[in-house]
Amino acid sequence: MKHFILCALTAVSVLIPAIQVSGQDYIVSSGNLSLAVSAPEGGRLEFLYFGPAAGPEDIDMLRESGALYGKSAYPEFGVDNVTGVKALAVKHRDGNLTTDLVVEDVLQDSKPEYDLLKVRLKDRYYDFHVSVFYKGWKNSDVIETWTEFENLEKKPVTLIRFDSGCLYMRRGDVWVSHFSGNWADEARLTEEPLNPGMLVIKNMDGSRNAHFSHAEIMFSLDGKPQENHGRTIGAALCWSGNYELRVSTHDNVNHLFTAGISPDMSQYTIDSGKRFTTPPLALSYSDEGLGGVSRNFHRWARNGMIHNGWGTRDILLNSWEGVYFNVTEPGMKQMMEDIASMGGELFVMDDGWFGEKYPRNNDRTSLGDWKADPAKLPDGLESLTDAASENGIKFGIWVEPESVSRISELFEKHPDWALQVKNRDLIFGRGGTQLLLDLCNPEVRDYAFNVIDTLLVRYPGIAYIKWDANVSLWNYGSTWLPDDRQSHIYIDYHRGLESLIKRIREAHPDVVIQSCGGGGGRANYGVMPGYDEFWVSDNTDALQRIFIQWGTSYFYPSNAMAQHVSADRNHQTGRVLPLKFRFDVAMTGRLGMEIQPSDMSAADRKFAAEAISGYKEIRSLVQTGNLYRLVSPYEGKGVCSLSYIDDSRDNAVLFAYKLEHFRNQTVPMFRMCGLDPEKVYRFRELTVPDGESPSSLDGKAISGRILMETGIAIPLETEYASRVYVLTAE
Ligand code: GLA
């Protein structure tokens, strides 16, 4: 049996066994880290180790030192009930709620890009199989784990809890860093020590999952989280729907971390002969602190978990905060001219451009009617794509393909396509009319595919799509799913979304697509393989953005983070900030503007053009370089600083901001990180406004050693002062 399966797996690839330590221990490695399990045939699958790269001898010595865990690698309900925390609970065909798994066989597969270990488990009595996968990427320091269930029982079985995977950590002084928030205040960092009990991070929005918390967490194993040192583990669940991350501290020895799709209201039936696969849980480790783990995730993301991960992104103007729903043809054309004149490369027409019978003049109507409003755009979309190319820029457009307004032609034609609950009134979202379409239904997915495909085929000048999602999954009922499968909605919706994105990507590999979830609600690795970037937040206030972007950067690379310069006074907070500060903050990611250029003074437009030109010089360093966060805004020092450094460590860009200003305030020296101590770096200041002199650091040459050991005094003399320096090794 074992031999047969090995052959089946290797028929399509070369078989190079993952390192086998002994007859029963297996190590999966990824770059600089390893994960080891014990999988004796007929015995239990046990988690042994996760940390720095370890070979067979290391595992033997770790065993001698008592450092191996030897705990169930995928604890199932029904056997060992010590902590009560389980990754799996299943109801079998006869109503039995327990499962008792033993190792059936182990399969190893090796490709140039990864090593894969598949441990197949089987219930001792029932014909129910569970495969636990570990995939070690060779070009990234990330190991993914996920699980597949195969029901060979004669009747359906029901999954009650079905985590993607789990991990043990030795108790000590372990801290967690995780994210909470809200719309317009996403990714707010919380750091806390792990105490006895259970920490649960959970999302139940149904549609977008990153507004209130993130499906990501870091563990600092050596006490309070440190940015650039200390052993640190990071975990990201790659799933765009409801999730549950749990850290259980119920014994004196270990913390148990589990992560997966939230099982709440999501019992999932697997028919006889069918399988169910969980989303991957990505794990990383670094002894370079939070920053080391961030850089590992950024590299992994660029290597395939975001679309065109190593590509740089265009500088754009988005129409939303400039005109809101007041889209007009001359207005759009004017904005295109304006952004082109400031050196921008792309114009994105946001909401408000569509609807014929029901023109989209506010958020109450028209979602679903994706045809240009003839009153607003009498010459159609083509005249806009033409105008973009006349201005030498690209054109992008906003759509929300998963939604429908009650007041729309689509809803009149297909009311059954919206998610809706039998015998209950509809619950409406944004505008009091918005509903979510039923992506469980393949016909609806075809419709949504056609929305985007038709736009892109009919108007080849569209180079960029902003794909928004502004409503939660509140109507928990599908007209398409059978009565006894209604509890599949939360999951099948996102499976439908994944397949939709994949199909669009296959048809249109080159179009740039932004994932937007009413601000930062769709920042997650479940969907990012299909998207080039995401909108970080609807809050464009540069001061609050510093905090939002800081948190978001823990797991996401800068070229995926869309960051826009907006109006003064800010529309979300009412704050007034210098244009230089607004640019210097937006420039740490994918730079854009979201403003009415015709409201800007000539001096501001000139500054914007210079800042854009400066950004072009550092774009590839910012967007694809290695992030070193230096001074956290959360530390309350009144300043913040971060930097990007290229692989050669010859080029760096340093950003510093003053967040609050007091007389005789103590401002720390800024110590850099990640430079070459032996090199000497020449400073050049960017974004210096006309009439102001560069700071005293401009033109200075300072060694990497001094920059990292002693640090530099960055002149930040006024409220909301900011500095951007390019550092070049001599
Ligand atoms: C959401 C997005 C915004 C904008 C509006 C348009 O809120 O996050 O950026 O596109 O929708 O209605």
Side-chain angles (χ1 to χ4, degrees):
M1 179 63 176
K2 185 174 182 180
H3 177 69
F4 168 74
I5 293 172
L6 275 170
C7 290
L9 193 78
T10 54
V12 286
S13 57
V14 192
L15 176 77
I16 306 169
I19 307 162
Q20 188 171 333
V21 178
S22 72
Q24 59 183 49
D25 295 347
Y26 299 85
I27 303 174
V28 180
S29 295
S30 166
N32 297 308
L33 57 102
S34 297
L35 183 150
V37 292
S38 161
E41 244 177 80
R44 302 270 176 210
L45 172 64
E46 288 185 347
F47 176 87
L48 297 180
Y49 171 81
F50 178 64
E57 306 79 36
D58 300 312
I59 296 294
D60 285 343
M61 283 192 268
L62 285 162
R63 180 172 280 119
E64 298 301 318
S65 74
L68 296 185
Y69 289 94
K71 307 283 285 181
S72 172
Y74 195 69
E76 71 271 36
F77 179 79
V79 281
D80 159 31
N81 260 318
V82 178
T83 66
V85 173
K86 302 297 171 198
L88 175 71
V90 183
K91 184 170 160 193
H92 298 280
R93 56 171 156 81
D94 57 2
N96 186 345
L97 285 160
T98 71
T99 300
D100 187 356
L101 298 172
V102 290
V103 174
E104 208 176 354
D105 48 40
V106 180
L107 309 174
Q108 305 153 45
D109 185 23
S110 190
K111 290 262 169 54
E113 315 85 57
Y114 60 77
D115 277 334
L116 181 71
L117 183 73
K118 174 181 180 182
V119 183
R120 226 163 87 102
L121 310 167
K122 184 193 172 311
D123 188 276
R124 279 188 204 272
Y125 177 82
Y126 295 94
D127 213 356
F128 181 74
H129 302 256
V130 175
S131 296
V132 179
F133 291 83
Y134 300 98
K135 187 184 211 174
W137 290 99
K138 292 180 183 165
N139 58 4
S140 312
D141 291 324
V142 167
I143 292 177
E144 292 171 19
T145 180
W146 69 94
T147 310
E148 184 183 84
F149 311 102
E150 187 177 15
N151 175 20
L152 297 180
E153 299 182 33
K154 295 210 166 55
K155 288 191 188 156
V157 300
T158 307
L159 297 175
I160 294 167
R161 156 139 241 138
F162 38 101
D163 280 315
S164 290
C166 61
L167 187 76
Y168 294 85
M169 283 159 285
R170 195 71 60 181
R171 283 188 67 178
D173 190 12
V174 180
W175 284 57
V176 284
S177 304
H178 59 97
F179 309 95
S180 59
N182 209 321
W183 171 81
D185 185 28
E186 294 87 342
R188 188 158 279 274
L189 175 66
T190 297
E191 294 175 335
E192 55 181 320
L194 278 178
N195 289 315
M198 179 87 99
L199 171 73
V200 180
I201 297 165
K202 181 170 173 141
N203 176 275
M204 287 299 287
D205 179 275
S207 156
R208 297 85 37 92
N209 69 10
H211 276 137
F212 303 103
S213 53
H214 267 216
E216 295 124 23
I217 188 167
M218 286 201 199
F219 299 93
S220 298
L221 307 182
D222 299 318
K224 202 170 180 320
Q226 300 295 329
E227 192 50 54
N228 288 307
H229 59 89
R231 296 171 308 143
T232 310
I233 287 173
L237 183 75
C238 309
W239 177 245
S240 54
N242 296 342
Y243 56 79
E244 212 171 280
L245 313 184
R246 298 178 300 167
V247 191
S248 154
T249 307
H250 283 115
D251 67 42
N252 297 329
V253 187
N254 297 312
H255 303 285
L256 169 60
F257 169 63
T258 58
I261 294 176
S262 169
D264 270 16
M265 307 312 294
S266 284
Q267 295 199 345
Y268 206 96
T269 304
I270 314 179
D271 285 323
S272 176
K274 297 281 189 226
R275 295 171 192 212
F276 178 96
T277 309
T278 70
L281 170 67
L283 302 169
S284 187
Y285 168 91
S286 170
D287 59 11
E288 288 180 20
L290 304 164
V293 171
S294 292
R295 289 185 290 281
N296 289 350
F297 272 98
H298 297 169
R299 198 169 327 113
W300 165 77
R302 291 185 166 124
N303 284 337
M305 289 304 286
I306 56 172
H307 187 255
N308 189 18
W310 288 103
T312 52
R313 315 294 194 239
D314 290 329
I315 301 159
L316 63 81
L317 172 68
N318 175 296
S319 67
W320 180 241
E321 288 196 22
V323 300
Y324 292 104
F325 293 101
N326 192 16
V327 168
T328 62
E329 188 174 305
M332 296 297 99
K333 289 184 173 168
Q334 182 60 54
M335 285 180 123
M336 287 191 236
E337 259 181 53
D338 290 336
I339 188 60
S341 73
M342 289 187 274
E345 299 150 331
L346 167 69
F347 172 71
V348 180
M349 177 169 67
D350 209 280
D351 200 350
W353 61 269
F354 52 94
E356 191 168 1
K357 180 169 172 192
Y358 303 107
R360 174 85 167 169
N361 294 322
N362 51 48
D363 61 8
R364 293 199 293 278
T365 68
S366 326
L367 295 170
D369 302 346
W370 301 109
K371 285 213 180 105
D373 175 349
K376 291 179 181 174
L377 302 173
D379 299 314
L381 293 180
E382 207 159 8
S383 98
L384 297 182
T385 57
D386 287 350
S389 53
E390 279 155 27
N391 282 293
I393 60 172
K394 297 176 194 160
F395 183 80
I397 199 163
W398 180 94
V399 284
E400 193 170 344
E402 298 160 66
S403 288
V404 64
S405 304
R406 182 173 51 76
I407 307 162
S408 68
E409 293 185 68
L410 180 69
F411 193 66
E412 285 169 356
K413 219 159 131 199
H414 295 291
D416 55 315
W417 280 6
L419 286 165
Q420 52 200 273
V421 192
K422 264 190 221 161
N423 307 318
R424 307 273 177 230
D425 291 340
L426 285 169
I427 305 169
F428 295 102
R430 190 180 182 203
T433 58
Q434 188 166 342
L435 296 166
L436 201 58
L437 291 170
D438 183 359
L439 289 191
C440 310
N441 181 344
E443 205 186 345
V444 177
R445 294 202 293 272
D446 284 348
Y447 149 83
F449 172 80
N450 286 328
V451 168
I452 293 183
D453 186 60
T454 308
L455 277 171
L456 293 174
V457 170
R458 197 169 290 165
Y459 307 102
I462 296 179
Y464 175 108
I465 297 272
K466 176 173 174 179
W467 177 327
D468 212 339
N470 279 303
V471 69
S472 309
L473 199 165
W474 282 331
N475 297 287
Y476 197 68
S478 162
T479 57
W480 190 79
L481 287 173
D483 288 354
D484 65 348
R485 300 292 151 101
Q486 292 289 309
S487 65
H488 291 194
I489 291 174
Y490 281 139
I491 294 173
D492 285 359
Y493 184 88
H494 288 274
R495 295 269 190 246
L497 179 61
E498 275 174 13
S499 70
L500 171 61
I501 296 164
K502 201 160 168 257
R503 192 171 159 201
I504 287 168
R505 263 303 164 212
E506 275 158 16
H508 304 284
D510 296 330
V511 70
V512 175
I513 312 184
Q514 180 187 82
S515 167
C516 177
R522 279 268 172 91
N524 75 77
Y525 282 115
V527 289
M528 283 316 292
Y531 294 93
D532 300 74
E533 60 175 39
F534 58 86
W535 182 220
V536 173
S537 177
D538 270 349
N539 189 336
T540 57
D541 169 68
L543 184 63
Q544 197 167 346
R545 266 288 184 132
I546 285 183
F547 292 83
I548 298 173
Q549 291 169 189
W550 189 271
T552 308
S553 78
Y554 271 47
F555 284 88
Y556 293 93
S558 45
N559 58 347
M561 291 171 54
Q563 308 185 164
H564 295 178
V565 173
S566 64
D568 176 20
R569 155 175 319 270
N570 179 267
H571 293 185
Q572 291 80 38
T573 62
R575 206 185 321 271
V576 174
L577 292 168
L579 185 58
K580 172 175 163 54
F581 188 86
R582 283 177 274 151
F583 261 100
D584 289 353
V585 171
M587 278 166 74
T588 60
R590 195 280 280 135
L591 174 67
M593 296 181 77
E594 188 154 333
I595 196 166
Q596 175 53 275
S598 55
D599 291 344
M600 294 168 74
S601 67
D604 279 358
R605 285 168 70 129
K606 183 162 180 287
F607 176 81
E610 283 161 9
I612 286 173
S613 148
Y615 180 74
K616 285 177 183 169
E617 285 181 47
I618 57 168
R619 168 170 27 201
S620 72
L621 192 49
V622 166
Q623 292 197 11
T624 63
N626 303 308
L627 169 67
Y628 285 85
R629 290 179 298 253
L630 302 173
V631 184
S632 167
Y634 291 92
E635 281 173 32
K637 292 186 173 150
V639 291
C640 168
S641 177
L642 57 130
S643 62
Y644 291 95
I645 302 175
D646 69 4
D647 286 341
S648 70
R649 297 196 282 169
D650 279 342
N651 300 291
V653 55
L654 171 64
F655 297 88
Y657 311 99
K658 188 81 173 283
L659 311 184
E660 54 184 29
H661 186 67
F662 298 102
R663 217 30 219 268
N664 290 331
Q665 182 178 356
T666 304
V667 172
M669 292 290 275
F670 291 80
R671 287 175 62 203
M672 295 189 70
C673 205
L675 296 171
D676 184 337
E678 303 308 323
K679 289 179 181 162
V680 171
Y681 296 88
R682 176 80 57 189
F683 276 61
R684 181 164 59 90
E685 188 165 354
L686 280 188
T687 69
V688 180
D690 260 8
E692 287 182 28
S693 319
S695 73
S696 50
L697 278 170
D698 185 61
K700 299 279 158 55
I702 305 172
S703 72
R705 185 177 311 285
I706 288 175
L707 289 168
M708 293 193 288
E709 283 176 1
T710 315
I712 39 170
I714 300 183
L716 293 169
E717 288 111 358
T718 56
E719 189 165 44
Y720 306 128
S722 56
R723 302 282 178 191
V724 182
Y725 299 103
V726 178
L727 279 67
T728 314
E730 296 201 321

